[in-house]
Amino acid sequence: MIRDADATRQRLLDAALAEFAEHGIAGARVDRIAAQANSNKAQIYHYFGGKAQLFDAVYGSIVRRLVESTPIDVHDLPGYAAKLARMYDVHPEVMRLAVWHRLEPGEPEVNALAVEATGRKVDLIAQAQADGLLPKRFPPAVLLGLVLHLAATWTEANPEFPGELPDAEARYEYVAEAVRRLIDLP
Amino acid sequence: MIRDADATRQRLLDAALAEFAEHGIAGARVDRIAAQANSNKAQIYHYFGGKAQLFDAVYGSIVRRLVESTPIDVHDLPGYAAKLARMYDVHPEVMRLAVWHRLEPGEPEVNALAVEATGRKVDLIAQAQADGLLPKRFPPAVLLGLVLHLAATWTEANPEFPGELPDAEARYEYVAEAVRRLIDLP
DNA sequence: GTTTGTCAACTAACCGGTTGGAAGATAGTC
DNA sequence: GACTATCTTCCAACCGGTTAGTTGACAAAC
């Protein structure tokens, strides 16, 4: 057998992402993660310290990927929202992980990177408003909240929702259109 | 001791609502529910059959309450959204329960009452569009989805969000304003 | 006396976390 | 290149505590 600590660590992270996205923290099973990663339970405690810390590691890597891959574009908020909406559709585990992280008790610790990235986005919007690129109807943080939340519309859709929704690409376009109307574009 | 089956049932339902909203299905503890209800674990199995069925009972009662208490008003969608937003703030357990119901695996069963209520709302919007009361830019189901989702903006806000958000009443008004702009109102 | 509601105690299974040591890699020595 | 001491990576088996679900007997109501 090949021995490679980094590879094992990564396999554990990948397996943990799938398991946590599917079952949350309380519902995730450490044994399942170890088995899925073709590894052993003891490795998890060796590499990460425990179940909760493993979740933090997974969540941190997701946040980092998200922050790096989808920078905000204050000149094209509708396009930004549509891009986010597509990303949520293609990678449903991202939103699931974020929602678990928010719901599960005993995890009030906010991710520092996420806070910093959000703060920077608010500043960019405020600057764009000062420059007259965006209307001042909504305070910067409110506008960002609305845009980010609209991008997640179809991801968060309850299963009760009727099957009459249009296909994916059309849904992204409707999100973009909604954002467009928030900021007065024609 | 007074013996009252209905009262015991109700106490169990109330305790279960709090427990499930806080911890979800996997994280909820049957013993805690029984203790909180000043009852006994065996009663839960006697009255509801099991943990999962108890959750279904709780979820069903919440959906019923929600459907009955907040009927849609197609003549005032902004006001409807603001009302919903306020309700989500006052009763956070409603949204938490709904989110958990969506996330937890092995629960793909949709609530029949919720589906029916949503379908009726879509029909009302379609009629209002046909009557010229609402613009036809968005298909009925899409418009409903956007409005319902916007109403939940601040409930779903990630904890990473900066503390620069305005107070509750102002937030509801921003939700109403966003909806207003979706449907062309001044 | 029968039905109905209540509960403490039980159990079988499960789960997160630990341990001790086996197996592979590494580097120094001759 | 062979030998070996040492370190790193890996894992099967185990442990203590917890959990959902069961049971059987007791007590109140009618």
Side-chain angles (χ1 to χ4, degrees):
Chain A
M1 171 180 305
I2 305 158
R3 304 173 71 100
D4 185 336
D6 285 346
T8 302
R9 230 185 102 96
Q10 191 55 52
R11 282 205 319 278
L12 284 171
L13 273 176
D14 293 342
L17 168 57
E19 177 77 10
F20 282 129
E22 182 73 14
H23 300 96
I25 302 180
R29 294 293 161 250
V30 177
D31 291 284
R32 271 201 299 255
I33 295 174
Q36 179 68 32
N38 274 110
S39 181
N40 188 279
K41 203 164 42 151
Q43 308 295 70
I44 289 175
Y45 295 91
H46 178 241
Y47 285 121
F48 299 99
K51 196 191 196 184
Q53 285 138 289
L54 176 58
F55 180 89
D56 288 342
V58 170
Y59 189 66
S61 79
I62 281 287
V63 168
R64 203 171 320 119
R65 246 173 48 192
L66 188 62
V67 166
E68 288 168 1
S69 69
T70 52
I72 194 172
D73 181 358
V74 289
H75 298 95
D76 180 22
L77 283 186
Y80 172 64
K83 209 169 112 187
L84 262 183
R86 182 176 295 108
M87 193 277 294
Y88 286 146
D89 251 20
V90 177
H91 302 292
E93 73 277 5
V94 172
M95 183 55 72
R96 289 184 63 93
L97 214 67
V99 174
W100 285 120
H101 176 255
R102 175 162 49 82
L103 283 185
E104 298 259 3
E107 285 279 339
E109 312 143 20
V110 292
N111 187 288
L113 180 55
V115 172
E116 189 203 318
T118 307
R120 213 163 26 225
K121 290 186 178 104
V122 170
D123 292 342
L124 285 173
I125 288 183
Q127 187 60 49
Q129 286 181 327
D131 295 345
L133 291 169
L134 291 173
K136 297 180 177 130
R137 178 168 25 254
F138 300 103
V142 170
L143 182 54
L144 178 64
L146 288 170
V147 169
L148 290 181
H149 192 70
L150 274 171
T153 300
W154 314 116
T155 319
E156 305 272 328
N158 284 316
E160 289 89 11
F161 222 78
E164 312 161 27
L165 288 176
D167 66 77
E169 283 302 322
R171 292 201 306 267
Y172 311 149
E173 177 46 38
Y174 285 125
V175 165
E177 172 66 15
V179 172
R180 217 169 279 130
R181 302 193 65 79
L182 288 186
I183 59 175
D184 284 329
L185 286 180
Chain B
M1 170 182 301
I2 304 158
R3 304 172 71 97
D4 185 335
D6 285 345
T8 302
R9 229 185 102 97
Q10 190 56 50
R11 283 204 318 280
L12 284 171
L13 273 176
D14 292 343
L17 169 57
E19 177 76 8
F20 281 128
E22 182 73 14
H23 299 96
I25 302 180
R29 294 293 164 250
V30 177
D31 291 287
R32 271 201 299 254
I33 295 174
Q36 178 68 32
N38 274 110
S39 181
N40 187 279
K41 202 163 42 149
Q43 310 296 70
I44 288 173
Y45 295 90
H46 179 236
Y47 284 123
F48 300 98
K51 197 190 196 185
Q53 286 136 291
L54 176 59
F55 181 88
D56 288 342
V58 170
Y59 189 67
S61 80
I62 281 286
V63 168
R64 205 171 317 118
R65 244 172 49 193
L66 189 62
V67 167
E68 287 168 2
S69 69
T70 52
I72 194 171
D73 180 358
V74 290
H75 298 96
D76 180 22
L77 283 186
Y80 172 63
K83 209 169 112 187
L84 262 184
R86 183 176 295 108
M87 193 276 294
Y88 287 146
D89 252 19
V90 177
H91 302 291
E93 72 277 6
V94 172
M95 184 55 73
R96 289 182 65 93
L97 214 67
V99 173
W100 248 311
H101 175 256
R102 176 161 48 82
L103 246 43
E104 297 262 3
E107 285 278 339
E109 312 141 21
V110 292
N111 187 288
L113 178 57
V115 172
E116 190 202 318
T118 308
R120 214 164 24 227
K121 290 185 178 105
V122 170
D123 292 342
L124 284 173
I125 289 184
Q127 187 60 49
Q129 286 181 326
D131 294 347
L133 291 170
L134 291 173
K136 298 183 177 125
R137 181 178 317 87
F138 300 103
V142 170
L143 181 54
L144 178 63
L146 289 169
V147 170
L148 290 181
H149 192 70
L150 273 172
T153 300
W154 314 116
T155 319
E156 305 272 328
N158 283 317
E160 288 89 12
F161 222 79
E164 312 162 28
L165 287 177
D167 66 77
E169 284 301 322
R171 291 201 306 267
Y172 310 150
E173 176 48 37
Y174 284 126
V175 165
E177 173 66 15
V179 171
R180 217 171 279 129
R181 301 192 66 77
L182 288 186
I183 59 175
D184 285 329
L185 287 179

